[in-house]
Amino acid sequence: MKVKPVLIVGTVILVGLAAGAGAGAAYYWMQATALPPAVEIAEATPGVLATHRPNANAEAVIAQKLASGEGVRYEGNNRVAITLSEPEVNQLILDGLAQVPEAQSVLQSAQGMSTTIQGQRVRSGITLNPANLPTESLPPQAQRALGMANLLGNNSLYVGIEGSPRVENGRLMLGDDTQVQVGRINLTLADIERATGMSADQISQTLSVTLPQTGLTLDGLEFTDGAAILRGAMP
């Protein structure tokens, strides 16, 4: 089965953890379904996509920056650098996920999505109630795994990705240093490869995000001081 959304991959990871935990499965599940200390859950939220405003999407944000010059630096030879804040990077990632049909129903049920930038690394994650996940497209093991999470009394599940992504062929791709965080459990790409059977390249392709089509050829990205700098060439 081809899986694209980060939360479905996260569910498969949880299945692998539970299968390998043996008698200690309950402990691992408690850790996997516990929220990280810095993550807060919005109350009575209608879902991430329900508050997704088309006129405030990443493409519109970048176009507005280019028009106003705010956060834009021209570097010569038709090169431009655009500084994006954490909320703007969050919008960029959300827009990319919203283009994936398999991810839309997951985003509709998500309680929140947040992105933080620390040093050269960015972390983006989604929280949701496992009971609201669309399980019909998941394999039986994943459905049983989500049932176990609910039985353990945890209402919210957090799945996040942390690393230093790069730009490649108009897409935001994972770096080799990427970690996936499921609750309070941190997993490397090698861990995910063992749990899902997917190669690191397949995982990177699965979780990659299409960048906005703004007329620029976007080809570079760096993170600094709580912001992202997106670089590209003007036509």
Side-chain angles (χ1 to χ4, degrees), residues 21-183:
Y27 169 78
Y28 282 94
W29 275 107
M30 293 297 289
Q31 289 295 103
T33 56
L35 294 178
V39 175
E40 297 180 356
I41 304 299
E43 294 183 1
T45 176
V48 172
L49 281 187
T51 58
H52 183 231
R53 304 189 306 274
N55 62 344
N57 62 22
E59 185 172 355
V61 168
I62 293 178
Q64 182 178 3
K65 283 180 172 287
L66 290 171
S68 66
E70 181 183 357
V72 177
R73 183 174 71 252
Y74 295 94
E75 301 180 322
N77 297 322
N78 292 328
R79 301 283 303 170
V80 63
I82 305 170
T83 299
L84 302 176
S85 65
E86 287 180 341
E88 290 167 343
V89 174
N90 192 67
Q91 188 71 58
L92 185 153
I93 296 172
L94 172 58
D95 285 356
L97 290 175
Q99 304 308 310
V100 180
E102 299 94 330
Q104 292 178 6
S105 58
V106 176
L107 292 174
Q108 288 284 9
S109 63
Q111 296 169 304
M113 178 174 178
S114 62
T115 298
T116 58
I117 300 171
Q118 295 183 333
Q120 299 296 312
R121 295 176 67 82
V122 59
R123 182 176 69 183
S124 186
I126 294 178
T127 54
L128 55 78
N129 187 329
N132 295 332
L133 269 175
T135 60
E136 62 276 1
S137 61
L138 297 178
Q141 302 98 313
Q143 296 181 26
R144 288 195 295 270
L146 289 175
M148 181 182 289
N150 289 325
L151 287 174
L152 287 175
N154 292 281
N155 293 324
S156 296
L157 173 69
Y158 173 85
V159 180
I161 299 179
E162 180 180 340
S164 304
R166 66 187 186 279
V167 174
E168 184 177 299
N169 297 324
R171 297 181 69 83
L172 199 62
M173 306 291 293
L174 303 181
D176 295 335
D177 63 344
T178 298
Q179 289 189 331
V180 171
Q181 188 173 15
V182 183

